[in-house]
Amino acid sequence: MKRLVVTADDFGASPEVNEAVERAHRDGILTAASLMVNGAAVEDAVERARRLPTLGIGLHVVLVDGRPLSPPDRVPALVDAEGNFRTDMVRAAMRIFASPAARRQLAAEVAAQFDAFAATGLPLDHVNAHKHFHLHPTIAATLVKVGKAHGMRTVRAPVEPRAVLRAVESEGARSGIEGIWAQQVQRLMRRASLATPDQVFGLAWSGAMTAPRIQGLLKHLPDGLSEIYAHPATGPYAGSAPGYRYAEELAALTDALARQAVARNSITLGRFADFIEGERS
């Protein structure tokens, strides 16, 4: 039983991302997208999502890189002098952990983003966080509390099996503390009766989910519920990450060989809602 959600992150960041998401869903294997409700092109993303009822739309909670939905003077612990989210994730994480005021501001901003998503009228398929900032235990706990109150049912915990990466590329597995944090988040979410994928792929090769890598993952996909996430775009855009191979990732998701690999390996594609609702029924 190989069930797979293929997700595009940063939906709403730019027209280049939005166009790629629509193309990858219509012409490729993409089944879900994570919406930045504070993205520069969020209105365009929502309009496209309404035309794509089979695309599962989730909330991509942004707490780093970008501007908050809350007025900056109400979340001073989260922003810099220009009112943007702080870019130093380590220092921001320490402040959130140590300061009760920062934690209250965090909860208010997360709630504002859930409220903005609800205002779109789109069903909430899943939740994750930009740059996986929800691996921070305080942010994860806040996400559980606020998210459950807003109908959250599925959360990404990027537990990425290194054995699968090595099967695709002998040099493909990197070690790091992210794996330990991801396992902790997975346990936390499941204790809270929230669903998480059994395994997630996209962290080690972030920004470089090329066609050979995606096809290799499809070939070696474990049983259970998996998620492969990528960052497709038609090209670089304002605020895009240096070195990310956006167009290559779009090409990988629309490659005919990827769809053939899905069929050849008896993989069922879907949104999180398709699989989670099926389990609960």
Side-chain angles (χ1 to χ4, degrees), residues 73-111:
D73 61 354
R74 295 188 181 179
V75 288
L78 306 183
V79 300
D80 60 19
E82 286 72 43
N84 298 313
F85 283 124
R86 300 179 185 276
T87 57
D88 186 336
M89 292 178 66
V90 174
R91 184 169 296 180
M94 292 173 62
R95 176 171 292 197
I96 288 168
F97 178 79
S99 167
R103 293 195 292 274
R104 289 192 295 271
Q105 294 168 30
L106 168 70
E109 174 60 23
V110 172

Side-chain angles (χ1 to χ4, degrees), residues 251-272:
L253 294 170
T254 55
D255 193 321
L257 293 177
R259 188 167 291 282
Q260 292 171 20
V262 168
R264 185 168 57 250
N265 293 285
S266 302
I267 298 169
T268 302
L269 288 174
R271 304 163 295 184
F272 281 108

Side-chain angles (χ1 to χ4, degrees), residues 6 11 21 82 123 150 165 201 203 220 228:
V6 183
F11 192 36
V21 167
E82 286 72 43
H150 287 77
L165 300 181
F201 302 98
L203 183 62
H220 296 283
I228 294 175

Side-chain angles (χ1 to χ4, degrees), residues 5-231:
V5 179
V6 183
T7 308
D9 282 355
D10 300 347
F11 192 36
S14 75
E16 291 86 352
V17 173
N18 298 349
E19 173 64 21
V21 167
E22 182 166 359
R23 285 170 52 184
H25 181 61
R26 290 189 184 278
D27 304 328
I29 63 171
L30 191 76
T31 61
S34 303
L35 180 68
M36 288 177 155
V37 292
N38 59 347
V42 63
E43 293 85 0
D44 174 68
V46 170
E47 182 180 341
R48 291 175 191 266
R50 289 172 178 156
R51 299 199 301 262
L52 302 168
T54 56
L55 181 67
I57 307 299
L59 173 61
H60 197 51
V61 175
V62 178
L63 298 167
V64 61
D65 293 341
R67 293 186 67 85
L69 289 185
S70 307
D73 61 354
R74 295 188 181 179
V75 288
L78 306 183
V79 300
D80 60 19
E82 286 72 43
N84 298 313
F85 283 124
R86 300 179 185 276
T87 57
D88 186 336
M89 292 178 66
V90 174
R91 184 169 296 180
M94 292 173 62
R95 176 171 292 197
I96 288 168
F97 178 79
S99 167
R103 293 195 292 274
R104 289 192 295 271
Q105 294 168 30
L106 168 70
E109 174 60 23
V110 172
Q113 294 189 28
F114 272 97
D115 287 341
F117 187 96
T120 69
L122 297 168
L124 180 63
D125 183 69
H126 61 274
V127 176
N128 51 52
H130 189 49
K131 295 191 174 180
H132 292 126
F133 209 6
H134 67 305
L135 295 187
H136 184 301
T138 304
I139 296 175
T142 301
L143 191 61
V144 169
K145 182 177 180 179
V146 176
K148 289 191 74 172
H150 287 77
M152 179 178 76
R153 296 184 299 166
T154 307
V155 184
R156 178 189 296 162
V159 177
E160 190 171 45
R162 284 183 281 169
V164 177
L165 300 181
R166 286 194 294 268
V168 178
E169 289 183 7
S170 60
E171 302 295 327
R174 73 176 187 183
S175 60
I177 196 169
E178 298 99 330
I180 298 172
W181 290 341
Q183 291 170 7
Q184 292 176 343
V185 167
Q186 188 180 67
R187 289 192 291 268
L188 172 66
M189 298 303 167
R190 290 179 174 178
R191 285 198 301 268
S193 300
L194 295 165
T196 67
D198 298 307
Q199 50 270 325
V200 175
F201 302 98
L203 183 62
W205 296 323
S206 185
M209 294 292 280
T210 59
R213 286 172 170 168
I214 286 184
Q215 291 165 30
L217 290 171
L218 295 172
K219 178 180 179 181
H220 296 283
L221 196 72
D223 287 343
L225 177 59
S226 300
E227 180 184 14
I228 294 175
Y229 73 92
H231 300 84

